[in-house]
Amino acid sequence: MGSRVPKGLLSVVVGNTPAARGLAVDKLMCAVPDAVVLAVSVHCRDDGYPVVQRLVAGTGVPQCMSRAATGDPVVILRQGLLAICRAAQPPHVVLALPDELDVLPFLVELWRPRIGASALGDYYAPAPVLAGIDPAAFLAELGCVHRAARLWDGADHTDPLTPAEIAARRVEAADGLIMPTPPNPADRRAGGVAALARHLNPSATLTHVPRQSGPGLELPPSFLLPAPYALEEWQARLEPVTMPRSRPGTDEGVSSVR
């Protein structure tokens, strides 16, 4: 039998602002300079499938992979990821997802094997999900409960969600949280936002990084390693009977209750 082709690594990055998401992508690229970036935008409509725009950048991948298509975002992104794997095998791909997607259910659907289609798990191993968080925007989101939007969850649109709910879901979906280092060490807002994020997701690893790009590894090494049980953990978090772990005690005046 022939030797098994090694798998690529797929890092998923989200963010509550384009700058926060871009900072997380930049730090990953500093750690893995030869990674391929697949940046996605999704333009949802009231009815029917959304328009999905893919922008691909990296060594060994042709620019013709950057294109727009109307259809199921799961199918479009799976096809794009498999095409990248064929062009630059085995790649480390950084998949930057937009706010229009409900991250956890979308990822479960993206990795779910389908009859008659290539399974993503045959070509990639999942890496931790990373969320870039801008503190000022995060506080504004948590205070906004007077309007709502519907996200794409991999099968259909979600029920209407407020910006506060979307902000909480984004943090809860992440395995790692990346925040910019505050310019002033005495900035209590940054500490308060970090405490809120830790209480929303006690299992996530939170790290502060400088806004300027530079050489060297500034991210925890675990952010760059495969997460072999990621799919099972994502599915478990979506189970309605699963009780999320709460953070004990008080942190910067923030406490958790059931």
Side-chain angles (χ1 to χ4, degrees), residues 85-182:
C85 195
R86 288 191 291 267
Q89 190 175 6
H92 184 161
V93 176
V94 178
L95 176 60
L97 295 179
D99 275 350
E100 288 79 10
L101 302 178
D102 195 4
V103 179
L104 272 187
F106 184 83
L107 290 179
V108 168
E109 191 66 16
L110 181 66
W111 284 89
R112 180 176 65 84
R114 296 188 178 187
I115 297 175
S118 298
L120 200 61
D122 291 339
Y123 299 88
Y124 288 94
V129 177
L130 305 181
I133 303 297
D134 178 88
F138 185 68
L139 289 177
E141 289 173 323
L142 289 182
C144 186
V145 295
H146 305 296
R147 56 186 176 85
R150 301 176 69 197
L151 308 182
W152 188 268
D153 64 5
D156 203 345
H157 290 98
T158 64
D159 293 331
L161 298 169
T162 67
E165 291 172 315
I166 294 173
R169 287 190 183 211
R170 186 188 302 113
V171 170
E172 290 168 346
D175 302 298
L177 301 171
I178 299 175
M179 293 188 184
T181 302

Side-chain angles (χ1 to χ4, degrees), residues 5-170:
V5 176
K7 293 183 180 181
L9 187 64
L10 181 58
S11 296
V12 174
V13 177
V14 295
N16 67 332
T17 67
R21 182 170 54 249
L23 178 63
V25 171
D26 286 345
K27 297 307 176 183
L28 275 174
M29 294 303 294
C30 286
V32 191
D34 58 348
V36 176
V37 177
L38 173 56
V40 182
S41 62
V42 177
H43 306 280
C44 295
R45 299 177 293 180
D46 292 335
D47 298 312
Y49 285 124
V51 177
V52 182
Q53 174 69 56
R54 293 168 292 174
L55 297 175
V56 183
T59 304
V61 291
Q63 284 302 306
C64 63
M65 291 185 179
S66 298
R67 64 183 68 174
T70 299
D72 185 341
V74 167
V75 174
I76 293 172
L77 291 189
R78 184 190 289 115
Q79 291 173 343
L81 288 167
L82 295 179
I84 291 173
C85 195
R86 288 191 291 267
Q89 190 175 6
H92 184 161
V93 176
V94 178
L95 176 60
L97 295 179
D99 275 350
E100 288 79 10
L101 302 178
D102 195 4
V103 179
L104 272 187
F106 184 83
L107 290 179
V108 168
E109 191 66 16
L110 181 66
W111 284 89
R112 180 176 65 84
R114 296 188 178 187
I115 297 175
S118 298
L120 200 61
D122 291 339
Y123 299 88
Y124 288 94
V129 177
L130 305 181
I133 303 297
D134 178 88
F138 185 68
L139 289 177
E141 289 173 323
L142 289 182
C144 186
V145 295
H146 305 296
R147 56 186 176 85
R150 301 176 69 197
L151 308 182
W152 188 268
D153 64 5
D156 203 345
H157 290 98
T158 64
D159 293 331
L161 298 169
T162 67
E165 291 172 315
I166 294 173
R169 287 190 183 211
R170 186 188 302 113

Side-chain angles (χ1 to χ4, degrees), residues 236-251:
R237 291 186 216 173
L238 293 175
E239 288 292 335
V241 296
T242 302
M243 180 64 71
R245 182 166 64 91
S246 62
R247 187 177 179 88
T250 301
D251 185 7

Side-chain angles (χ1 to χ4, degrees), residues 23-24 27 178-182 207-212 218-220:
L23 178 63
K27 297 307 176 183
I178 299 175
M179 293 188 184
T181 302
T207 184
H208 287 86
V209 298
R211 295 181 185 272
Q212 296 79 16
E218 298 171 342
L219 298 178

